[in-house]
Amino acid sequence: MRFILLALNLVLGLVAPAALAQSQFSPVIRVNDSAITGYELDQRIQFLTLLRFPGDIQAEAEKGLIEDRLRLAMARSIGVKLTDQQIAAGMAEFAGRANLDTEQFLQAIAQGGVEPETFRDFVEAGIAWREVVRARYLGRVSVSEAEIDRALSADNGRGTGPRVLLSEIILRARPGEIGLVRRKAEKLATETRGEAAFAALAREMSLAPSREDGGRIDWIPLSNLPPQAQAAVGKLGQGQISEPVPLNGYVALFLLRGMTGGEDKLAPGAIASDYAVLALGAGQAAEAQRIATEARSCDDLYLMTKGQSGAVNRQTALRGAIPGDIAAALDRLDANEAAVVQGASGPRVVMLCARNATIAANHLDAVVPVIADPAVKTADGDIIPSAIEGLGFGNGPSRDQIRDELQNRKIGQLADAWLADLKAGAIITRP
């Protein structure tokens, strides 16, 4: 009997670990013809925990793995194949957000029990989906000039709220170098003491035209900065330097030299109005009211002049330069709204096309861009081409920057909706 019990214990000792391993790698979720194992789910839970992901970690892990299966399946279906270099660059970019290189990041997550393959799979699904989305939507999503005007307008919050006095350093971050450049910027921020030292670094290393003035830029509305820059600058105290701020192909550092109160609003005199005036003859009050009611944009006014040359006058001006009766009417209008203003020679239809408040200084006078000398080189050997004369934040966001921002937002919304449709049409089961 003792021999039988001993043999039984030996058998159970061999079977139990095998059964445990088998259950760990058994499917817990099936997505169409693809299986998600208990091991993968456990790894994703640990990974999200290390990243301090908010919400229900298990639910988010399951959701992420299901969506990754759908992303990768779609990538395969349209022939997207990633190279090892692409995945390595993606891993380096993700690790760079924590100011680590890939090897350091892998060591950090290994201490939390996360395997390198888990991180690689996570990155691969994201990059594959990005390629799929580009193939489907890039070139098919457009941004109109009117949308850019709206995004740049004071009515949209641009130019209002707190204002900041900054110095900036803009560093180039080529593909795959974001982590390296962020660590370099972090080191600069840690070792630099005072505005004079920051200005010296800006002259030596920054790619923005403000380098000629030690990185100094005039007062700008905080709302003129990209969201990630707003978050970084908003945490600064007087004289402090920000954490590295990733931009599209660049990394920025900011030194705060001053900030207004949170309730500060852009003065009415500092807002430029893009407006149109359609002058009609005496006795045409009813026609003026009809046009004001039916016009949906400033362009409509041209169509309603019935070929009359010079009837519509459109211009952009600061409030102080606009005639008093027209300025008073514009104050009551939102973009693409119209009103009738009576004049000595007859009624006039006044329409607001847009309000703009994007220039950095306390006024909106025209600012001549500083064009960097193409022969100038930074300490890193980067030649500063005149093509980047708009780089930096001295004059607020450029139209190209806003166009990219709006296009990326549209593509992101379309991609999210597409993924939701794929998920709704998938067969998802839990064995």
Side-chain angles (χ1 to χ4, degrees):
M1 180 62 69
R2 286 195 299 270
F3 176 77
I4 293 173
L5 290 175
L6 177 61
L8 183 59
N9 286 333
L10 288 173
V11 171
L12 290 176
L14 293 173
V15 171
L20 179 62
Q22 184 178 5
S23 64
Q24 189 178 24
F25 288 96
S26 296
V28 292
I29 303 173
R30 288 191 179 275
V31 183
N32 295 327
D33 58 352
S34 180
I36 298 170
T37 67
Y39 174 77
E40 290 178 285
L41 180 57
D42 181 63
Q43 281 281 293
R44 181 60 67 91
I45 290 172
Q46 292 183 64
F47 185 53
L48 295 184
T49 300
L50 290 175
L51 297 179
R52 298 180 181 178
F53 204 85
D56 184 333
I57 296 294
Q58 174 148 346
E60 292 296 334
E62 291 183 2
K63 175 175 176 287
L65 286 169
I66 290 170
E67 292 179 349
D68 282 356
R69 289 296 195 273
L70 296 171
R71 293 181 179 111
L72 290 170
M74 181 54 65
R76 286 192 299 270
S77 71
I78 66 171
V80 170
K81 295 181 179 179
L82 302 180
T83 65
D84 291 340
Q85 290 78 9
Q86 284 178 294
I87 297 174
M91 293 170 70
E93 180 182 350
F94 192 94
R97 298 174 191 174
N99 293 323
L100 300 173
D101 60 29
T102 303
E103 190 59 35
Q104 291 171 327
F105 188 82
L106 291 175
Q107 291 174 3
I109 63 175
Q111 294 176 10
V114 178
E115 297 294 332
E117 291 76 12
T118 298
F119 177 45
R120 189 185 191 281
D121 292 345
F122 173 81
V123 170
E124 181 182 8
I127 297 175
W129 182 243
R130 184 174 63 190
E131 295 301 315
V132 168
V133 169
R134 283 177 176 173
R136 183 179 178 93
Y137 294 117
L138 199 59
R140 296 170 54 186
V141 174
S142 62
V143 176
S144 69
E145 295 301 314
E147 288 176 299
I148 297 173
D149 288 339
R150 176 65 180 170
L152 285 169
S153 72
D155 286 345
N156 202 42
R158 190 78 67 173
T160 62
R163 301 171 76 79
V164 290
L165 189 63
L166 299 173
S167 294
E168 63 182 1
I169 295 176
I170 310 293
L171 304 175
R172 192 189 307 279
R174 296 179 178 86
E177 294 182 346
I178 182 70
L180 177 66
V181 177
R182 282 187 62 143
R183 289 194 301 277
K184 176 181 177 180
E186 180 71 31
K187 187 172 185 292
L188 293 175
T190 301
E191 296 178 352
T192 303
R193 295 287 184 272
E195 185 181 336
F198 191 92
L201 278 178
R203 293 188 184 94
E204 180 184 0
M205 308 183 72
S206 181
L207 294 177
S210 60
R211 71 192 303 272
E212 302 297 335
D213 193 27
R216 298 179 184 87
I217 52 180
D218 206 343
W219 287 97
I220 62 172
L222 187 61
S223 60
N224 274 8
L225 297 174
Q228 64 270 36
Q230 292 182 36
V233 170
K235 295 186 291 186
L236 298 179
Q238 183 79 19
Q240 290 184 333
I241 299 173
S242 73
E243 61 192 22
V245 178
L247 304 170
N248 186 20
Y250 299 91
V251 172
L253 287 174
F254 298 99
L255 181 144
L256 181 66
R257 294 162 28 228
M259 178 180 283
T260 63
E263 297 302 317
D264 182 54
K265 298 294 182 182
L266 195 64
I271 297 177
S273 293
D274 174 7
Y275 69 99
V277 177
L278 170 59
L280 299 173
Q284 298 193 58
E287 176 66 4
Q289 191 59 54
R290 181 189 71 80
I291 292 175
T293 301
E294 295 181 0
R296 293 293 177 265
S297 71
C298 287
D299 291 339
D300 285 353
L301 295 182
Y302 292 97
L303 300 176
M304 293 180 173
T305 59
K306 300 178 181 179
Q308 301 176 27
S309 177
V312 178
N313 178 21
R314 181 171 176 174
Q315 59 182 302
T316 300
L318 295 172
R319 192 185 186 286
I322 301 173
D325 55 347
I326 294 177
L330 290 173
D331 288 344
R332 299 190 297 270
L333 299 177
D334 291 327
N336 296 315
E337 288 186 344
V340 176
V341 176
Q342 294 296 331
S345 58
R348 292 164 293 171
V349 177
V350 177
M351 175 168 270
L352 177 65
C353 310
R355 288 190 184 93
N356 298 298
T358 63
I359 303 301
N362 294 322
H363 55 78
L364 294 186
D365 295 337
V367 175
V368 179
V370 178
I371 300 178
D373 181 354
V376 174
K377 291 186 178 182
T378 68
D380 294 332
D382 277 323
I383 296 177
I384 305 177
S386 58
I388 61 170
E389 63 189 62
L391 187 64
F393 300 95
N395 293 334
S398 69
R399 295 185 70 83
D400 285 342
Q401 289 171 329
I402 295 299
R403 179 179 286 104
D404 289 344
E405 179 182 317
L406 293 177
Q407 186 178 57
N408 289 337
R409 186 184 305 164
K410 283 186 175 184
I411 291 176
Q413 291 169 346
L414 289 170
D416 289 344
W418 185 24
L419 184 59
D421 287 343
L422 293 175
K423 194 172 180 179
I427 300 174
I428 303 172
T429 59
R430 300 172 188 272

